[in-house]
Amino acid sequence: MKTSRAAAVAAVAGTAVLAVSSPAFAHVSVQPEGTAAKGGYAVIDFKVPNERDNASTTKVEVNFPADHPLASVMPQPMAGWKIDVTKSKLAKPMEMHGEKISEAVTKVTWTSQDDKGIEPGYFQKFPLSVGALPEDTDELVFKAIQTYSNNEVVRWIEVQQKGQEEPENPAPTLTLSAATDDHHGTTTAEDTAAKTETTASDDSGSSGGSDTTARVLGVVGIVAGAAGVAYGVLAGRRRSTGSEA
């Protein structure tokens, strides 16, 4: 009886977990390939799953945040998809690499060139190289629109509010990591020099340890050899004494 109750409780708990977690797998999301550091550049992937059993995803539209414009956005070519990059004039020009930028990418649209698109039971990643990432925010919110072959449109545009439950159609949100020294996530000359010096120091310490070990083993060998010779001499004397007796 107790076993049956335990099994029933476990089944209910498992169902509850699935009910809570399953929708998360169906969301359109965005993740960096590696890190997305403030002030730097990154490759980000928009992951788009197909939620329908009787239709394919034939169009994906990603809108960029107007409050944090990105001057550089480059899509990766994708077989079977047409890519359109939309730029708009900025209300306030921004400066990048010493140059003033008066326009920025506001939208990227992927449209399937055939009837397949993203078929039921599959997902597709849509990569973009973006930058320079803003330094005055911890995240970027991208509003996405997913269109199916049956003309159904799903709008992933709801912004997650702190302290509240996740909305039904959350907007893809990119979390930014702390800025690197060079704002590109690369190793500087000073870092390389420091690393080389540390490695040399470690190698020196390792070599010194090896020399010490060798010396100790040498001394032990000499002592062992001397003990062997002494034992041989003593044994010889005992034999000689025994013979004379």
Side-chain angles (χ1 to χ4, degrees):
M1 189 69 176
K2 291 182 179 180
T3 303
S4 299
R5 289 179 179 177
V9 171
V12 172
T15 303
V17 170
L18 288 175
V20 172
S21 60
S22 294
F25 292 104
H27 293 169
V28 173
S29 59
V30 59
Q31 290 292 334
E33 294 183 7
T35 58
K38 297 178 182 180
Y41 290 76
V43 174
I44 59 177
D45 294 326
F46 288 90
K47 182 180 179 181
V48 181
N50 192 323
E51 296 182 299
R52 303 296 179 259
D53 297 328
N54 57 354
S56 297
T57 295
T58 55
K59 185 178 180 180
V60 176
E61 179 182 317
V62 173
N63 294 276
F64 285 69
D67 55 343
H68 294 99
L70 299 175
S72 176
V73 176
M74 292 186 293
Q76 178 177 312
M78 295 177 60
W81 293 86
K82 177 187 176 184
I83 307 174
D84 294 310
V85 178
T86 303
K87 293 184 178 181
S88 300
K89 291 288 184 179
L90 295 174
K92 181 180 179 181
M94 58 188 295
E95 188 173 331
M96 186 174 71
H97 301 306
E99 296 183 3
K100 286 188 175 181
I101 306 298
S102 59
E103 63 178 13
V105 173
T106 53
K107 181 172 63 176
V108 177
T109 305
W110 294 265
T111 305
S112 175
Q113 296 291 80
D114 50 40
D115 295 332
K116 291 185 177 180
I118 307 174
E119 297 180 304
Y122 291 87
F123 74 90
Q124 179 73 52
K125 287 184 178 181
F126 297 85
L128 291 174
S129 174
V130 299
L133 297 172
E135 300 181 61
D136 57 349
T137 184
D138 294 326
E139 62 182 24
L140 290 177
V141 178
F142 300 86
K143 296 184 178 182
I145 299 176
Q146 181 178 11
T147 302
Y148 287 90
S149 56
N150 60 1
N151 294 324
E152 180 186 2
V153 177
V154 180
R155 302 178 183 276
W156 303 94
I157 61 174
E158 298 178 75
V159 180
Q160 174 69 54
Q161 302 297 328
K162 293 183 179 180
Q164 297 185 12
E165 294 183 359
E166 184 179 56
E168 184 177 355
N169 295 317
T173 302
L174 177 68
T175 300
L176 304 181
S177 60
T180 57
D181 292 338
D182 59 353
H183 286 181
H184 288 79
T186 56
T187 303
T188 62
E190 291 79 1
D191 292 337
T192 302
K195 184 176 181 181
T196 302
E197 182 178 352
T198 302
T199 303
S201 177
D202 291 343
D203 290 343
S204 176
S206 176
S207 176
S210 299
D211 291 343
T212 301
T213 303
R215 290 172 184 172
V216 171
L217 292 176
V219 173
V220 171
I222 293 173
V223 172
V229 172
Y231 178 79
V233 172
L234 180 59
R237 289 179 178 178
R238 290 179 177 174
R239 292 193 188 96
S240 298
T241 303
S243 299
E244 291 175 359

